[in-house]
Coordinates of all heavy atoms in Angstrom, one line a residue:
D1 N -47.0 -23.7 -13.2 CA -47.8 -23.7 -14.5 C -47.5 -22.4 -15.2 O -47.1 -21.4 -14.5 CB -49.2 -24.1 -14.4 CG -50.2 -23.0 -14.1 OD1 -50.0 -21.8 -14.6 OD2 -51.2 -23.2 -13.5
D2 N -47.6 -22.3 -16.5 CA -47.1 -21.2 -17.2 C -48.1 -20.0 -17.1 O -47.7 -18.9 -17.3 CB -47.0 -21.5 -18.7 CG -45.8 -22.5 -18.9 OD1 -44.9 -22.4 -18.1 OD2 -45.9 -23.3 -19.9
I3 N -49.3 -20.2 -16.7 CA -50.3 -19.2 -16.6 C -50.1 -18.4 -15.3 O -50.1 -17.2 -15.2 CB -51.7 -19.7 -16.6 CG1 -52.0 -20.3 -18.0 CG2 -52.7 -18.6 -16.4 CD1 -53.2 -21.1 -18.1
H4 N -49.9 -19.1 -14.1 CA -49.7 -18.5 -12.8 C -48.4 -19.1 -12.2 O -48.4 -20.0 -11.4 CB -50.8 -18.9 -11.9 CG -52.2 -18.4 -12.4 ND1 -52.5 -17.0 -12.4 CD2 -53.2 -19.0 -12.9 CE1 -53.7 -16.9 -12.9 NE2 -54.2 -18.1 -13.2
P5 N -47.2 -18.6 -12.7 CA -46.0 -19.2 -12.2 C -45.5 -18.7 -10.9 O -44.4 -19.1 -10.4 CB -45.0 -18.8 -13.3 CG -45.5 -17.5 -13.8 CD -47.0 -17.6 -13.7
T6 N -46.2 -17.9 -10.2 CA -45.7 -17.3 -8.9 C -46.6 -17.7 -7.8 O -47.8 -17.9 -7.9 CB -45.6 -15.8 -9.0 OG1 -46.9 -15.2 -9.2 CG2 -44.6 -15.4 -10.1
F7 N -46.0 -17.7 -6.6 CA -46.7 -17.8 -5.3 C -46.6 -16.4 -4.7 O -45.5 -15.8 -4.7 CB -46.0 -18.8 -4.4 CG -46.2 -20.2 -4.8 CD1 -45.4 -20.8 -5.8 CD2 -47.1 -21.0 -4.2 CE1 -45.5 -22.1 -6.1 CE2 -47.3 -22.3 -4.5 CZ -46.5 -22.9 -5.5
L8 N -47.6 -15.9 -4.1 CA -47.6 -14.7 -3.4 C -47.6 -15.1 -1.9 O -48.5 -15.8 -1.4 CB -48.8 -13.8 -3.7 CG -48.7 -12.3 -3.1 CD1 -47.5 -11.6 -3.8 CD2 -50.0 -11.6 -3.4
V9 N -46.5 -14.7 -1.2 CA -46.4 -15.1 0.2 C -46.4 -13.8 1.1 O -45.6 -12.8 0.8 CB -45.1 -15.9 0.5 CG1 -44.9 -16.2 1.9 CG2 -45.0 -17.1 -0.4
A10 N -47.2 -13.8 2.1 CA -47.3 -12.6 3.0 C -47.0 -13.1 4.4 O -47.5 -14.2 4.8 CB -48.6 -11.9 2.9
L11 N -46.3 -12.3 5.2 CA -46.1 -12.6 6.6 C -46.5 -11.3 7.4 O -46.0 -10.3 7.1 CB -44.6 -12.9 6.9 CG -44.2 -13.4 8.2 CD1 -44.9 -14.8 8.5 CD2 -42.7 -13.5 8.4
I12 N -47.4 -11.5 8.3 CA -48.0 -10.4 9.0 C -47.9 -10.7 10.5 O -48.5 -11.7 10.9 CB -49.5 -10.1 8.6 CG1 -49.6 -9.9 7.1 CG2 -50.0 -8.9 9.4 CD1 -51.0 -9.9 6.6
S13 N -47.2 -9.9 11.3 CA -47.2 -10.1 12.7 C -47.8 -8.9 13.4 O -47.5 -7.7 13.0 CB -45.8 -10.2 13.2 OG -45.2 -11.5 12.9
R14 N -48.7 -9.1 14.3 CA -49.5 -8.1 15.0 C -49.2 -8.2 16.5 O -49.5 -9.3 17.0 CB -51.0 -8.1 14.7 CG -51.3 -8.0 13.2 CD -52.7 -8.3 12.9 NE -53.0 -9.7 12.8 CZ -53.0 -10.4 11.7 NH1 -52.8 -9.8 10.5 NH2 -53.3 -11.7 11.7
R15 N -48.8 -7.2 17.1 CA -48.5 -7.2 18.6 C -49.7 -6.6 19.3 O -50.2 -5.6 18.9 CB -47.3 -6.5 18.9 CG -46.9 -6.6 20.4 CD -45.6 -5.9 20.6 NE -45.2 -6.1 22.0 CZ -44.2 -5.4 22.6 NH1 -43.5 -4.6 21.9 NH2 -44.0 -5.7 23.9
S16 N -50.2 -7.3 20.3 CA -51.3 -6.8 21.1 C -51.0 -5.6 21.8 O -49.8 -5.4 22.3 CB -51.8 -7.9 22.1 OG -52.8 -7.4 22.9
R17 N -51.9 -4.7 22.0 CA -51.7 -3.5 22.8 C -51.9 -3.7 24.2 O -51.6 -2.9 25.1 CB -52.7 -2.4 22.3 CG -54.2 -2.7 22.7 CD -55.1 -1.6 22.1 NE -56.4 -1.7 22.7 CZ -57.3 -2.6 22.3 NH1 -57.1 -3.4 21.3 NH2 -58.5 -2.6 22.8
H18 N -52.5 -4.9 24.6 CA -52.6 -5.3 26.0 C -51.3 -5.9 26.6 O -50.8 -6.8 26.0 CB -53.8 -6.3 26.2 CG -55.1 -5.8 25.6 ND1 -55.8 -4.9 26.2 CD2 -55.7 -6.2 24.5 CE1 -56.9 -4.7 25.4 NE2 -56.9 -5.5 24.4
R19 N -50.9 -5.4 27.7 CA -49.7 -5.9 28.4 C -48.4 -5.8 27.5 O -47.6 -6.7 27.7 CB -49.9 -7.3 28.9 CG -51.0 -7.3 30.0 CD -51.0 -8.5 30.9 NE -49.8 -9.0 31.5 CZ -49.2 -8.4 32.5 NH1 -49.6 -7.3 33.1 NH2 -48.1 -9.0 33.0
A20 N -48.3 -4.8 26.7 CA -47.0 -4.7 26.0 C -46.0 -4.1 26.9 O -46.4 -3.4 27.9 CB -47.2 -3.7 24.8
G21 N -44.8 -4.4 26.7 CA -43.7 -3.9 27.6 C -42.4 -4.5 27.3 O -42.2 -5.4 26.5
M22 N -41.4 -4.0 28.1 CA -40.1 -4.6 27.9 C -40.0 -6.0 28.4 O -40.8 -6.4 29.3 CB -39.1 -3.7 28.7 CG -38.8 -2.4 28.1 SD -37.8 -1.3 29.2 CE -36.6 -2.3 29.9
R23 N -39.2 -6.8 27.8 CA -39.1 -8.2 28.1 C -39.1 -8.6 29.5 O -39.9 -9.4 30.0 CB -37.9 -8.8 27.3 CG -37.9 -10.3 27.4 CD -36.9 -10.9 26.5 NE -36.8 -12.3 26.7 CZ -35.7 -13.0 26.6 NH1 -34.6 -12.4 26.3 NH2 -35.8 -14.3 26.8
Y24 N -38.2 -8.1 30.3 CA -38.0 -8.5 31.7 C -38.9 -7.7 32.7 O -39.0 -8.0 33.8 CB -36.6 -8.4 32.2 CG -35.7 -9.5 31.6 CD1 -34.6 -9.2 30.8 CD2 -36.0 -10.9 31.8 CE1 -33.9 -10.2 30.2 CE2 -35.3 -11.9 31.2 CZ -34.2 -11.5 30.4 OH -33.5 -12.5 29.8
K25 N -39.6 -6.7 32.1 CA -40.5 -5.9 33.0 C -41.9 -6.3 32.9 O -42.7 -5.9 33.7 CB -40.3 -4.4 32.5 CG -39.0 -3.8 32.8 CD -38.8 -3.8 34.3 CE -37.4 -3.3 34.7 NZ -37.2 -3.5 36.1
R26 N -42.3 -7.0 31.8 CA -43.7 -7.3 31.7 C -43.8 -8.8 31.4 O -43.3 -9.3 30.4 CB -44.3 -6.5 30.5 CG -45.8 -6.8 30.3 CD -46.7 -6.1 31.3 NE -46.6 -4.7 31.1 CZ -47.0 -3.8 31.9 NH1 -47.7 -4.2 33.0 NH2 -46.9 -2.5 31.7
R27 N -44.4 -9.6 32.3 CA -44.5 -11.0 32.2 C -45.8 -11.5 32.6 O -46.6 -10.8 33.3 CB -43.4 -11.7 33.2 CG -42.0 -11.4 32.8 CD -41.6 -12.0 31.5 NE -40.2 -12.2 31.5 CZ -39.6 -12.7 30.4 NH1 -40.2 -13.1 29.4 NH2 -38.3 -12.9 30.4
G28 N -46.2 -12.7 32.2 CA -47.4 -13.4 32.7 C -48.7 -12.8 32.2 O -48.8 -12.3 31.1
V29 N -49.7 -13.1 33.0 CA -51.1 -12.8 32.6 C -51.7 -11.7 33.5 O -51.2 -11.5 34.6 CB -52.0 -14.1 32.7 CG1 -52.2 -14.5 34.2 CG2 -53.3 -14.0 32.0
D30 N -52.7 -11.0 33.0 CA -53.3 -10.0 33.9 C -54.7 -10.5 34.3 O -55.1 -11.6 33.9 CB -53.4 -8.6 33.2 CG -54.3 -8.5 32.0 OD1 -55.1 -9.5 31.8 OD2 -54.3 -7.5 31.3
K31 N -55.5 -9.7 35.1 CA -56.8 -10.1 35.6 C -57.8 -10.4 34.5 O -58.8 -11.0 34.7 CB -57.3 -9.1 36.6 CG -57.6 -7.8 36.1 CD -58.0 -6.8 37.2 CE -58.0 -5.4 36.7 NZ -59.2 -4.9 36.3
N32 N -57.6 -9.8 33.3 CA -58.5 -10.0 32.2 C -58.1 -11.2 31.2 O -58.8 -11.4 30.2 CB -58.6 -8.7 31.4 CG -59.1 -7.6 32.2 OD1 -60.1 -7.8 33.0 ND2 -58.5 -6.4 32.1
G33 N -57.0 -11.8 31.5 CA -56.6 -12.9 30.7 C -55.6 -12.6 29.6 O -55.3 -13.4 28.7
N34 N -55.2 -11.3 29.6 CA -54.2 -10.9 28.5 C -52.8 -11.2 29.0 O -52.4 -11.0 30.1 CB -54.3 -9.3 28.4 CG -55.6 -8.9 27.9 OD1 -56.1 -9.3 26.9 ND2 -56.2 -8.0 28.7
V35 N -52.0 -11.8 28.1 CA -50.7 -12.2 28.4 C -49.7 -11.1 27.9 O -50.0 -10.4 26.9 CB -50.3 -13.6 27.9 CG1 -51.1 -14.6 28.5 CG2 -50.3 -13.6 26.4
A36 N -48.6 -11.0 28.5 CA -47.5 -10.0 28.2 C -46.9 -10.4 26.8 O -46.8 -11.5 26.4 CB -46.4 -10.0 29.2
N37 N -46.7 -9.3 26.0 CA -45.9 -9.4 24.8 C -46.5 -10.5 23.8 O -45.8 -11.3 23.2 CB -44.5 -9.7 25.0 CG -43.8 -8.6 25.8 OD1 -44.0 -7.4 25.4 ND2 -43.2 -8.9 26.9
Y38 N -47.9 -10.4 23.7 CA -48.6 -11.3 22.8 C -48.5 -10.9 21.4 O -48.7 -9.7 21.0 CB -50.1 -11.3 23.3 CG -51.0 -12.2 22.5 CD1 -51.1 -13.5 22.8 CD2 -51.7 -11.7 21.4 CE1 -52.0 -14.4 22.0 CE2 -52.5 -12.5 20.6 CZ -52.6 -13.9 21.0 OH -53.5 -14.7 20.2
V39 N -48.2 -11.8 20.5 CA -48.0 -11.5 19.1 C -48.8 -12.6 18.3 O -48.6 -13.8 18.5 CB -46.5 -11.5 18.6 CG1 -46.4 -11.3 17.1 CG2 -45.8 -10.4 19.4
E40 N -49.5 -12.2 17.3 CA -50.2 -13.1 16.4 C -49.5 -13.0 15.0 O -49.3 -11.9 14.5 CB -51.7 -12.8 16.2 CG -52.3 -13.6 15.1 CD -53.7 -13.0 14.7 OE1 -53.7 -12.0 14.0 OE2 -54.7 -13.6 15.1
T41 N -49.0 -14.1 14.5 CA -48.3 -14.1 13.2 C -49.1 -14.9 12.2 O -49.4 -16.1 12.5 CB -46.8 -14.6 13.3 OG1 -46.1 -13.7 14.2 CG2 -46.1 -14.6 12.0

């Protein structure tokens, strides 16, 4: 429509501070239920 001709698109990825690490060095879950390399997008 001529009044609002645009879409605003945002992509946000947040990596958890729990169980962060290198790919082959940090895997699985810990005793608190945190998983390795967890990302919310």
Side-chain angles (χ1 to χ4, degrees):
D1 92 31
D2 293 330
I3 299 169
H4 301 286
T6 61
F7 290 80
L8 191 63
V9 178
L11 190 65
I12 304 166
S13 288
R14 299 171 281 263
R15 186 174 183 193
S16 173
R17 70 184 191 281
H18 304 288
R19 291 196 52 76
M22 290 174 35
R23 184 169 177 216
Y24 289 119
K25 292 297 177 187
R26 183 75 67 191
R27 297 293 204 181
V29 69
D30 69 10
K31 63 182 169 100
N32 298 317
N34 300 305
V35 295
N37 299 307
Y38 180 86
V39 177
E40 175 194 73
T41 299

